[in-house]
Amino acid sequence: MASGFGPFARRVQSELVLRTARGFYLAIACASLGVLLVAAVVAILAQGSTLRFSMDREAPAVRPAAVEAIAMEDVSARMTPPHTLRFVAEPAALNFDVSEGQVLGFFDAETPNQLAGYPDDFDVVGGEHAALFTLSRHPSNGRAGLRATAALAQQMAEARAAGGGSAQLSYTLRIVARDRAGQVSSPADVTIALTLTPPGATPPEPAADASLTDLQALSREIALTLDPQQTDVFFDIVRSAQRTPRLCNAEESPAFVAEYRRAFEGLRAQLRRDNLELFYRGVCDAWNAAAERAQARYASDRAAADAVIARNAQQRAELDAQKRTARMIRNIAFGVAATALAAFLTIALFLAFLAMEGHSKALREAVETLAAQNPQPSRGGRP
């Protein structure tokens, strides 16, 4: 009975247990291989997600300023006395009868050290017509200027009468100039050109003086519009026009002066001495209203820009969160892939053992078959 149970047990082991185990292990190996492939794909995709970047523009690099060689002419310019001495006629044209003491213009010169203050800036040291002029402070810019003497006023009246109301007069004076460093220019002959136009004619636009600021030049134009003969109120108008920025609680900025000039050009024909203060206050009202509109527009633009900045920051934060999630998924996928690989290798080892057992079974069955076909006689029997 024992001899019959052994073959039965071997058949059960070979036909049932080993075959079932082989199929089970093979299914697990295939599943492990599939999980390994899926985990590898997920890890690769997750790793690719971590390589994304935001599209923010990179700020350009700021290179340090290199020291350049100094220009020797800039150094020597400070050591050069005033030059290019000239006379600036103001008003540019005399459209009224000139009397003794009438302001005719001022002297100017080029110097990097600025001209000395009156009365040290210019001196008349000679010239053919020096007796026809008196040197005095110009009411507009405070420079040394010229006024007409009685003899010159008489000559101008005669020239206007002879020319039918218009005349061009030219005189010569010899002058010197001083800068604030005390340097004195060489004596130079300067031409004094005076233009006479018929009384009441429209005066030409005053020539711009490069030495005046934009506000000073505009103030002078306003004063010349209201007082073309430059009487005693001329300088008062200049000073009141220059106080407009302070009246408006505004800085003397190019933008303010440009709008101030635009208002003057638009209302020049309506300006009178009695409405000049109203004009100043109107400029202030318009400037403050424009400033409020500009501030509101700036606030709106700033809010829009802040919204864009906040949206960019939110997108970067979302991208960082997505990258963190992708890295976590990648790490998990790597762990799953490693586990699946270990399981696959383990199952492969078991399958190898089962294959060895199957090979042993085949050999055993072959031996048993051969033994059954060739029975051996017993040693104690008879021949």
Side-chain angles (χ1 to χ4, degrees):
M1 181 174 179
S3 60
F5 181 76
F8 174 75
R10 284 195 298 269
R11 283 196 303 271
V12 170
Q13 179 183 0
S14 301
E15 299 298 331
L16 180 61
V17 176
L18 294 180
R19 182 174 296 178
T20 303
R22 187 182 297 111
F24 178 71
Y25 287 152
L26 185 60
I28 294 177
C30 292
S32 299
L33 184 60
V35 171
L36 174 62
L37 294 177
V38 172
V41 172
V42 172
I44 293 173
L45 295 178
Q47 178 63 24
S49 298
T50 62
L51 300 179
R52 292 183 299 170
F53 57 91
S54 62
M55 299 301 295
D56 294 343
R57 292 185 59 185
E58 182 180 359
V62 180
R63 295 178 298 176
V67 178
E68 300 180 356
I70 65 173
M72 297 307 298
E73 55 269 19
D74 293 341
V75 179
S76 62
R78 285 287 183 178
M79 305 170 63
T80 303
H83 58 90
T84 316
L85 280 63
R86 59 188 179 274
F87 176 78
V88 179
E90 187 179 284
L94 301 170
N95 62 342
F96 49 85
D97 293 332
V98 176
S99 59
E100 182 181 2
Q102 172 62 46
V103 175
L104 302 175
F106 58 90
F107 292 113
D108 198 3
E110 301 295 333
T111 174
N113 299 315
Q114 297 185 345
L115 291 169
Y118 178 83
D120 299 325
D121 50 354
F122 291 94
D123 278 330
V124 177
V125 296
E128 181 182 357
H129 307 101
L132 296 176
F133 301 90
T134 58
L135 191 67
S136 66
R137 180 170 182 160
H138 193 272
S140 176
N141 55 26
R143 297 266 183 83
L146 295 179
R147 291 180 182 267
T149 62
L152 179 61
Q154 181 63 31
Q155 285 188 17
M156 296 173 73
E158 294 173 355
R160 175 178 276 123
S166 299
Q168 185 71 40
L169 304 179
S170 180
Y171 304 93
T172 301
L173 296 180
R174 193 168 182 83
I175 65 173
V176 294
R178 296 182 185 85
D179 61 16
R180 292 191 175 182
Q183 299 181 105
V184 183
S185 69
S186 301
D189 292 329
V190 175
T191 299
I192 312 300
L194 301 176
T195 301
L196 305 179
T197 59
T202 302
E205 294 293 331
D209 183 6
S211 62
L212 299 179
T213 65
D214 293 339
L215 180 61
Q216 290 173 340
L218 176 59
S219 301
R220 187 180 63 182
E221 292 183 35
I222 294 175
L224 287 174
T225 299
L226 298 179
D227 186 21
Q229 297 186 6
Q230 300 186 16
T231 61
D232 294 339
V233 301
F234 179 86
F235 200 51
D236 293 336
I237 298 175
V238 171
R239 285 181 295 186
S240 66
Q242 291 180 351
R243 287 195 299 266
T244 303
R246 294 195 299 273
L247 179 65
C248 301
N249 294 321
E251 297 180 356
E252 188 182 333
S253 62
F256 177 83
V257 176
E259 295 302 314
Y260 189 9
R261 174 175 289 279
R262 195 162 70 89
F264 167 67
E265 297 293 346
L267 300 174
R268 183 197 295 263
Q270 303 178 32
L271 283 182
R272 302 184 306 274
R273 293 186 186 179
D274 57 354
N275 66 3
L276 187 59
E277 289 296 329
L278 298 178
F279 168 72
Y280 296 151
R281 296 188 179 277
V283 170
C284 292
D285 293 341
W287 173 259
N288 291 332
E292 290 177 359
R293 291 193 300 271
Q295 185 62 30
R297 184 167 54 252
Y298 169 79
S300 176
D301 294 343
R302 182 72 267 175
D306 291 341
V308 173
I309 293 173
R311 184 166 60 251
N312 291 338
Q314 181 180 2
Q315 291 177 350
R316 288 194 295 269
E318 292 176 354
L319 180 60
D320 291 340
Q322 293 173 2
K323 286 183 177 181
R324 288 193 298 269
T325 303
R327 284 192 291 267
M328 181 182 66
I329 294 175
R330 178 201 61 190
N331 295 336
I332 294 175
F334 280 149
V336 172
T339 303
L341 179 61
F344 176 78
L345 294 177
T346 302
I347 298 303
L349 181 62
F350 289 156
L351 288 176
F353 288 149
L354 291 177
M356 293 173 61
E357 177 63 24
H359 181 67
S360 298
K361 174 180 175 296
L363 289 177
R364 185 170 58 254
E365 289 177 350
V367 170
E368 290 177 351
T369 301
L370 291 175
Q373 292 177 355
N374 298 302
Q376 295 293 332
S378 65
R379 295 181 179 180
R382 299 172 65 181

